[in-house]
Every structure is written in C-alpha cells, then in structure tokens.
C-alpha cells in the first residue's frame, strides 16, 4: 500500500481569515514571507493533529505539499497526485495552486514572486539544513534571506491547536524484538566508533522505538512514540518525550543508562552535549535545521550519514522473521475469512466499501496480538480501485457490484509483526482484458517472488522483473514495486525498496532479513484497479555451490484464479502458483471456520 | 567482445636496464618518482606502438596497468585479470606486482613507499586533472608533490621509440554517415550554446572522426585518426593531425571552416583560444591534465561535461541504421560460410584455432565494403573458451576437437557499419550440463532481445533480464551484458550499455538508434565457454497506444540448436527462436553457396 489521505468534504473557506492573520503576524515580526510545509519535526510519514499546520492554513489535506505565504499573496504546491483534490479543497482567492516538481518549481516561484532582499521565515524544526541551503543558494542572486522562526508563527495564532500527543509508552518485549535494547545499543556504539562520532542525534521515531524496544500506539498507524534521542559513546542515552510521566515498568525496562527528559528540553540538552562531544553523527536527510544549526554554532563537527539504526532495523533478526511469519499467517486467516464472507454477502446483499472494510477490521481484531491497522484500508470497488490512494468516504462509498473487480489493500500492526496485503477478487466472469492485465501483473509478482540474486543486488535491479510483461504490452503502473516493512513499526521503511532507479539516490543492496512488499499493479482509470501484494523476506540460500539471496513469501492469501488467463502462464509460473496455494491451504485451513475452509479450498485448486 | 591483449612469449629481462635509465634521468631532473600508465593522450581503447611506454618499461602488455617508479624501487599495478600474465612478463627483481583496486591501492602504496616531501613527475597528456587532484589530496599529508613533465622522460631515453602514426585520412561518405559534417557541426554549436560554452576541446578520436565524417584505417581496430580538435561557437574548427599533408579531396571535404594544424601546435593554439574564449567545454573524464591546466592558467572557466559528440554519435540516424542492417547481413553471411566450412573440416581434418580465424577473415574479406576486423578475433576451443579475453597464440593454439565447444567472437569494420558477433557451436552431442547452461544463457539473450521498455529506461534496469535464469541456478558471468557499438567506428562506445549499476556512475537512458551488443554468457573454467552475442538497435514502437522502445536484432547467425535443452524454453522463447531463424534463412540463403545453404537450413530448423 502507499500513502493515503482522506478527501475533505467541502472547503469551509476560512482559509482567507487564517491567511490574513498569519500575514499580519509576519508583518509585525518583520518577515515578508513564511514557508508552511506538510510535516512535523520527526519528518515521518504520518503526523499528529497538532502538526497539521498546512491543512489548518489551506484546508488541503493531502500527504505532501508546501505553502509559501508572502505579504499579499500565497501559493500551495502539490504534486500530480493531488491536483484535483487541492482544487476542491483550497480557496482559490487565497491560494494559487502550483504543481510541485521538485525544488525547481519552488525556487522559480520565489524568484518570480518574492521581492529582492526580502526575509522569508521558516520553522527550523520542519526543514532540513540541506533543503534551506538549496533555497538560499538558488535565491542568493535576489538576496532573499531565509530566517528560522521558532516557535512557529502558526502555533501563535492557531487558537484551538490540538495538544501534542502524550502517548503511553509500552515495552516491546524481547520475545518479539529478538535482541535487547542493551545489545542494540552496543551495536550502534560500534557504528559511532566506525564513523569516528562521539554521539549521534536520533530524530526519526521508528529508530528510537527500535533501539529502545519501546512502542506507543496512540499516534496513528505507526506505533512509535514521538521522541528524540541522543546516543553517546559512553553508552548513555538521553530520551526526550512529550511527557516523562511514564509507567514504572517502562522506566525499569529502559534502565539507568537511559535518562528521560521532556521534549521541551531537547535544544538545551543539545547545547550541553556539544560542550564535550565535538563529532556528532546526524542523518542529513531528516535531521531538522535547528539541530544541525545549533550543533554547528557550538563548534561541533557534524558527520552526516544515514541514521545508524536504519540498516540494523531493516535487517530483521530470526525472532523478528519468525514473528513476521506468524503475524502474516494470522493476518491471512483474517483476510480469507473476510473474502469468503464478502463473496457470500455480495451474492445476496448490498455491501458498501465501508461496510466491507469495517467487517475486515473485525476479523483482524479476532487475531492474537493484533493492535491496530497499519495504514488506512483501501476498500475499493470497480472504478474506485483505479485510484491508487483511494480511501472510501461517505461521499465516494460504493456498493460492491457483482460486476466490479474488488480491490482491498490493508494491513495490521501485531506485536509480532506488521502486515500489508492487497488482493483483487471478482464475483462474476471478468472481461478478457481484465484477465490479460491481471495475469501480466501476476507474472511480474511471480518473477519477483522466485528471483534468486547475488549479494549486492539492489531493488532497482529487480524492479524490471515485475514490469516486463506489462511493458511488453505497452502497459505500466505509476508506483514502486516494493517498499520496506518494519517489525511492529512502520509499514513503510527504508533503506530497502524495489523500484525504478532515481538519479541521485543511493540504491541499498538487499540483505537477509529485510522485509519488502511485492506489489505490481495495473490501473484502468474509470474502470478497475489490479494489484497483487504480498510481503516477502530476503533469505539466504545455496544453489550449485553459490551463496545466493532470494525471497520467502510470508503473505498467504489465495490469488484469484478466476482472474487468471492460464494460457499466459508458463510451466514455472504454474508450478509457483500451485505451490503457493498449497502453502496457503496448509497454513490456513486449521485456522478458519467451515465456510471459509470451503472458500479457501476452492480458491486454491490446482491450475494445470 | 571485450578488450584483448596478446600474451608476450617470454620476458627478455631488459626491464632492469630501462628502469635504471629512467631512474637516472629522473634524478637529473630533480624528481624522486614518475607515473607510467597504460594509455595515450586520447584516452581511448587501443594505443599505437609509440605510446606503449608501460610495456617498454615493464614488458607487461596487458590492456590496463600503472607503474610507479621511485628512486630505488618500482611497482606495477595490474587488475585481477592480469595477475598471472604480469607475473610471467615482468622482472620481479625490478618491479613489485600489486593488485590495482581503484585509486585506493595506488594511494596506499605511495603513502607507504614515497618519502615525505618528494616530487613525483607525471606526463600531463596521460592523466586527467581529476585523477591528479585525487592523488594530490590523498598524499597532501605527506607533502608529496605531483609535477607535470612534458615531453615524457621515457620518450627521451627510448631510443628506438616508434614514430607517431601518420595515418591517411579518408572521407567517410555522407551516403554512409547520413548527415554532413556541416549539419553535425550545427548541432554541436547548439549544444555549446545550451551549456553557455564558447568553444569545446575534443580529444576523443571517435568524436572527431564522427563530427567531421573522416576516418583513418592505419591505427589499429578503431578507424579514427589520432587527432585533436577545437570547435568554436563561430562554427570554425581547428583540427590537429600528426601530419597536415593530406589529400586535396579531404581538404576540400573539410571545407574552409576547418583549419588544419600539426598536433605539435595544439598547446599553442589552446593558449590562443583562451585569449578570446573564456568559457570552454571539456570532457572531464578524458581530457588530459595539460589541456585543462593550460586553459585554467589562462583564466578560462572550464565547463566540465560529456563530450558533446558522444550522445549524437551514439544515436544512429536512419542511414546509419540501414547501413548497420546491411553490414550485419554481410557479416552474418561470412560467419555462416565459415561455420559451415568449419563443421565440414572438423569432421576430417585437424583445424587449429588460428587456422580457423584466418579462414573466417577470408570470408569477411569477400564482403562488400569490408575494411578490417573491428577487434582481435577470439577463436577458442574447449577450455580456451572459458578465458573471456582469450586470443590464440602459437603457444596456446589448440586443434579444434570434435568434443570441444567452439566459441568464436569476431567482428568487422565495414564502411556501412561495425559488427561484433559471438556464437558457440558443437560438433558432437554436448553434455546435459552444457545444454542447461547454454539454454539459460539463451533465455537471457531472448529476454533482452524481445524486451519493450518506456523512454528513460537504462541498460542498468535491463541487465537482470539477461542474468535471471543463470541466477536461478546460482550461476553468473563476470562481464557486462552489452556495450555500445559505433558506426564504422569503435566496437565499444558510450554512453549506452547494459550492465550492473556501478555506484557513482550516471546510467544513460537508451534512445532510438543506439546500437548495443546483447551478450550474456557462462564460463566453466578449464572446460568450456558459452556466449551468445548479437548486435541490436534501439527502435521506437507503439503498443496499446503507448510509445515504447525495444530492440531489433541485426546479427543474423543461427543459434546452435544442438546446444538447446528445448524443455527449458517457454512458448514465447520458442516463438522468438523460430522467428529469428526464419529471418536468418530469408536474409542469408540468397547470399551463400550451396553447402552453406544446406548448413543454414539445418541450423535454422523449427523448434517445437
């Protein structure tokens, strides 16, 4: 699954009011402009309500965007996915809507619209130093100055801004995590030594959750507390939380080496850190401007590198892999129970997309260790399936027609693992075009699933395997083939992925224990969507005396046989499909009720 | 085919004499060391005898290497391919032999062995500024200074150094080139404008040959004159040749805007250029240190970019593509005539690898517009086929046994195109392992040949298609899948290629008209080699309403059916093979003699 944003109903058109308040505030503050990005100080995927400053200002609720407010005008930049949504949501008299094609479009707009020598404010928590430097360099000719402003002016005028969440901190048991926080910390300290750093600053919440074996479930789909951390080479950790009022058991779990502070004291502690730690590692891609700027001012030599938790977090240990297997079996049992129920219901009743997804959640909630969904469910019938980031709302909610292809992309957070699965089913004979497209997507899915590759291979090299049979017919899909998946953490995580190479990026070699989605698709706008998504784990295997890597598919849900044009499959593909369906039967039949067993048996019959 | 170097017979051990002379010369010149790389001032693939300074000094004749000579010691760096060859060729009492693993090994050796504050000379024609800067930076701590020395000290002491070749310049007729030099020049001037350059310096010989529609056949396998050129925004060109004594027709062809100079005057003309051209484009990867250093000293702003001829040269126009089709048909006719002859002969006579390759050349020489081989032929039987850069010598020459797999990799320079083809044939029933390996290589070859892909796709994305079925069985090949090919120019050219992504490189999107080899392989050391190589051209095609790119295979030589395990091919692959063999029959039967016709018919029978 990819990122999701619910479409707001109808703009209430108070954008103009808020915009004028902000402009008035800026004037008093001697600023001629201000940057309002989508995002919070952790630069993660989901943000809490208090950080929805862009939505508050513009009414635009998409998952990515940037507003620039000047003295007498304002603009909202959104990418191609959100052009239509933004047009519906924003007040066109207050905001121009521009297409965000990287930094270039922002810079061009600033050079065209901002006055020479003007001062533009930004919240130093919400931008990286690199991003601000690029703006400064590009706008130097016009002498435009970028000025950090904290607290954020919007926080000063947003009277009913929600409070920062003070989520409860939970211990992530070592029975699920595999390694203790002490062991992980020792590893990270080694990385610091290797990089000649005396400390590192962690601002990515999944890294902190992983390192300290803690979780928090009140902050949306990602069960990580909104924390900062400083890790020092003497093996002590400073942990910054919204509230330090946490359970005794958690304090005991964290141990003496972890010192708790309120988030409000983070900047002060960074200054203190800088007194006797002169070489500090930060993640250049996500570390807030404020942090790097403060450390530099204190004479620290910043070592820019990847967050040191990112790679070990991505390479799941054997306990985590075993947990992922279990979580996926349970999750698959819930999904097949739902699909069996749905087929029965669609025959006789009018079931809507929203009713369907509510029922699916019920099935998941019956599974052991289930905590919450891992992302907003995409329950989409017919043409809604062609909207890649669809989420059913009362306005779009469609009754699932027997003639519709039904696409459901959903996942769960379980204590033992994070799941994400997409299947498409049909309740009536599909068109030959639909079967052709589905089978091409399946051929790509199988080519990835059974690929073997040497160490050092990246997901960029594998990507074409998923697209080959679509490309052969002039077709493609406009999203990646696979994203990394966490272990009771983010359903999207790096560095691993499977996708087209993006110039300037550093592809990450796939390593044993990494979890990835395998999700090629095809979308026929206005008609139907197809996506076959399972989670795979990278495994090591020896073939003909060579050590090779490969994938084990963890998701065990039937792939709709009625949608397959069997003549398009070769012998290897048929064998893969039959083997897969045999695994599905063996894993799920003991776990589901009678009618679901019948459904599973029918849906996993051998293909000849 | 890949690069080749003949193995010299036995070292004559005069290395020590020459080394001492060089060390004596350096001492008088107040230098404590000198760098001797393999290469000439054009940084191309083949070098003329006068530039074989490394071989003269060390007796090592491999295609890549670097010697560093200090006051009382010397080292030869060679890469993994040449470890054994270097050990046989060099005098171990004079030269240590080190493994060249990028710049790091050279730097480490210098830091270990060179004295602090010493001066090390280098020939400023034979290194790029980037390479020297990296050495300077890395050795700064030891205050090692790198000092340009021109003329090269070796040229001063090498008494019987061969003269620079004064190859005859020939006109490359527009009937083959497709566009006039004037048209090409206009394009390059546009590129200069785009890059805000007032001139560019060309030092890559294929670029100059392409731009001016000239060729020269006395300088080895690459029919380009050893020239430099300066292209100015006023559409004039200064062309630098070893001898300006060229035919009147060529002078007329070049026209008034091309002014001829002796190569000896190149540096002087660069200084002159710098007087009124302050922004000059050079190719940072290949431009000699002398050029960039001289221009910088004269106050020029150097614009580093790809040689502006590289991309338009790579994208063949329709005349060149048509020429390539013709050249490949003729070349294929020569190869099948040879293979039919060989099969006949091997049955009854002892034919050696060298006899075979001489006969193959005879068949090529009978073809219209044939000029010369495009690289040294690899005629290899049995275990010799497993040596990727093999070239038969009297010492290695093997009689082609009926039980051997015979691998022949060869190509021709024709006025209408450059060819390069590899086929493997068998004269007796092969082993099941050989059939399995050959068929996996073939499946990769077919996957590339029939791939369709959107604009923007690079050869790095396609590479895995060629390796997939080998990887599935733990196998691989240690070379690229495809290299660019010129039009009556270099058999290796950039920027296009098909291969694994190398970090730091900029992959080049494939574009219509680019020629590439498609040459997966498999090598069983000590036993046999397999490679199936055809040349393909990138074509545009419309499928299901989408514009896609794909390949047309130009080489038309049967793929040995006796080596195929038909059960491993799927229906698509069988169809491709049968279609291909139908094309081979249709193109070649009218061109070859009776016995060859029979051979072609047999070798292209349908596979069911």
């Amino acid at each position: 699954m990819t990122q999701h944003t619910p479409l707001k109903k109808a703009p209430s058109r108070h954008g103009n009011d808020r915009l004028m308040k902000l402009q008035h505030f800026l004037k008093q503050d001697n600023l001629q402009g201000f940057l309002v990005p989508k995002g919070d100080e952790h630069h993660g995927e989901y943000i809490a309500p208090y950080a929805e400053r862009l939505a508050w200002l513009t009414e635009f609720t998409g998952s990515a965007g940037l507003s620039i407010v000047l003295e007498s005008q304002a603009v909202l930049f959104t990418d191609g996915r959100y052009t239509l949504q933004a047009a519906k949501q924003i007040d066109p008299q207050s905001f121009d809507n521009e297409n965000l094609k990287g930094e270039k479009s922002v810079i061009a707009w600033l050079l065209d619209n901002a006055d020479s020598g003007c001062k533009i404010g930004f919240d130093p928590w919400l931008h990286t130093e690199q991003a601000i430097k690029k703006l400064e360099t590009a706008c130097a000719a016009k002498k435009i100055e970028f000025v950090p402003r904290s607290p954020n002016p919007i926080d000063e005028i947003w009277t009913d801004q929600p409070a920062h969440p003070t989520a409860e901190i939970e211990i992530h048991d070592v029975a699920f995590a595999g390694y203790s926080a002490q062991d992980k910390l020792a590893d990270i300290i080694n990385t610091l030594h290797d990089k000649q750093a005396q400390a590192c600053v962690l601002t990515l919440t999944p890294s902190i959750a992983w390192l300290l074996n803690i979780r928090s479930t009140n902050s949306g789909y990602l069960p990580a507390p909104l924390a900062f951390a400083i890790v020092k080479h003497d093996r002590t950790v400073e942990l910054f939380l919204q509230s330090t009022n946490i359970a005794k058991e958690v304090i005991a779990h964290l141990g003496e080496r972890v010192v708790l502070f309120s988030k409000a004291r983070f900047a002060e502690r960074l200054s203190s850190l800088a007194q006797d730690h002169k070489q500090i590692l930060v993640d250049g891609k996500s570390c807030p401007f404020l942090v790097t700027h403060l450390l530099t001012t204190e004479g620290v030599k910043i070592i820019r590198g990847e967050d040191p938790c990112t790679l070990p977090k991505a390479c799941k240990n054997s306990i985590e892999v075993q947990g992922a297997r279990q979580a996926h079996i349970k999750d698959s049992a819930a999904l097949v129970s739902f699909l069996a129920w749905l087929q029965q219901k669609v025959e006789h009743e009018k079931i809507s997309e929203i009713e369907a997804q509510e029922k699916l959640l019920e099935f998941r909630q019956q599974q052991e260790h289930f905590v919450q969904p891992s992302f907003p469910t995409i329950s989409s019938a017919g043409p809604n399936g062609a909207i890649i980031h669809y989420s059913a709302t009362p306005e779009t909610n469609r009754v699932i027609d027997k003639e519709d292809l039904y696409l459901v992309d959903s996942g769960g957070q379980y204590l033992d693992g994070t799941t994400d699965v997409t299947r498409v089913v049909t309740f009536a004979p599909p068109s030959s075009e639909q079967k052709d497209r589905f089978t091409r997507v399946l051929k790509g899915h199988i080519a990835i699933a059974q690929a073997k590759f040497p160490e050092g291979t990246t997901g960029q090299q594998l990507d074409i395997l998923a697209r080959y049979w679509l490309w052969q017919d002039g077709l493609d899909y406009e999203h990646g083939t696979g994203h990394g998946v966490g272990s009771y953490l983010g359903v999207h995580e790096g560095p691993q992925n499977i996708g087209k190479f993006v110039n300037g990026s550093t592809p990450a070699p796939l390593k044993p224990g990494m979890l990835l989605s395998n999700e090629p698709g095809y979308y026929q706008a206005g008609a139907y969507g197809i996506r076959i998504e399972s989670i795979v784990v990278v495994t090591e295997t020896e073939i003909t005396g060579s050590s090779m890597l490969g994938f084990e598919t963890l998701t065990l849900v039937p792939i709709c046989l009625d949608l397959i044009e069997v003549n398009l499959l070769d012998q290897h593909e048929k064998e893969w499909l039959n083997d897969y369906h045999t695994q599905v039967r063996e894993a799920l039949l003991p776990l589901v009720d009678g009618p679901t067993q019948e459904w599973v048996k029918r849906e996993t019959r051998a293909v000849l």
Side-chain angles (χ1 to χ4, degrees), chain A residues 125-136:
Chain A
W125 289 105
L126 308 185
H127 303 262
T128 64
E129 194 172 38
Q130 283 174 346
I132 294 297
K133 271 199 178 149
K134 274 189 192 162
L135 289 178
E136 281 176 340

Side-chain angles (χ1 to χ4, degrees), chain A residues 110-130:
Chain A
L110 275 172
L111 291 175
D112 277 354
N113 293 283
D115 291 334
S116 283
C118 75
K119 285 182 184 175
I120 295 184
F122 67 94
D123 182 335
W125 289 105
L126 308 185
H127 303 262
T128 64
E129 194 172 38
Q130 283 174 346

Side-chain angles (χ1 to χ4, degrees), chain A residues 505-549:
Chain A
S505 71
T506 310
L510 300 179
K511 290 182 184 294
M514 284 180 167
L515 297 177
L516 291 134
S517 67
N518 169 11
E519 53 174 315
Y522 175 74
Y523 307 92
Q524 185 70 48
Y528 61 89
I530 291 167
R531 185 158 66 251
I532 305 174
E533 177 186 27
S534 290
I535 303 302
V536 298
V537 58
V538 180
T539 55
E540 266 177 309
T541 165
E542 195 174 297
I543 318 174
T544 325
S546 302
S547 171
M548 303 290 284
L549 302 179

Side-chain angles (χ1 to χ4, degrees), chain A residues 157-304:
Chain A
I157 55 180
W158 184 356
T159 45
D160 55 350
Q161 185 178 27
H164 285 239
T166 53
E168 211 167 301
I169 309 295
E170 292 152 19
I171 298 165
H172 186 52
D173 200 288
V174 71
F176 299 119
Y179 288 117
S180 69
Q182 287 71 27
D183 287 346
K184 293 179 181 179
L185 190 57
D187 266 2
I188 298 304
I189 301 291
N190 283 339
T191 306
L192 295 189
H193 282 302
D194 290 347
K195 296 191 179 286
Q196 300 184 299
Q198 297 155 348
C200 71
V201 179
L202 303 180
T203 60
L204 295 170
T205 63
S207 291
I208 297 165
W210 172 84
L211 177 64
L212 300 176
N213 284 347
I214 54 175
R215 297 292 188 270
S216 171
T217 54
N218 312 21
S219 52
Y221 300 98
L222 171 68
L226 291 175
F228 293 123
I230 296 170
V231 177
K232 295 189 255 185
H233 65 142
D234 67 358
R235 296 200 178 197
T236 60
V237 177
E238 297 189 4
L239 175 62
F240 300 86
L241 295 169
Q242 191 59 32
S243 159
T244 55
N245 182 16
I246 61 177
K248 276 184 200 161
E249 299 75 30
V250 179
I251 291 177
H253 162 79
L254 290 172
E256 288 180 358
R257 290 186 169 276
V258 178
V259 188
L260 279 179
F261 292 94
S262 145
K263 262 177 108 173
R265 294 187 59 195
F266 184 44
E268 166 209 329
R269 294 301 305 164
L270 286 171
S271 298
S272 169
L273 174 76
Q275 300 319 305
D276 45 6
H277 297 76
K278 289 303 180 196
Q279 307 209 100
I280 297 179
L281 177 67
V282 306
D283 186 290
K285 283 186 207 138
S286 60
C287 188
F289 177 95
L290 188 132
V291 175
T292 39
H293 187 72
L294 189 153
L295 293 177
T296 310
T297 308
E298 299 278 3
V300 166
K301 183 187 163 198
I302 304 269
I303 300 167
R304 281 177 181 78

Side-chain angles (χ1 to χ4, degrees), chain A residues 35 446 502-503 520 543:
Chain A
L35 308 179
I446 295 174
V502 179
N503 240 329
I543 318 174

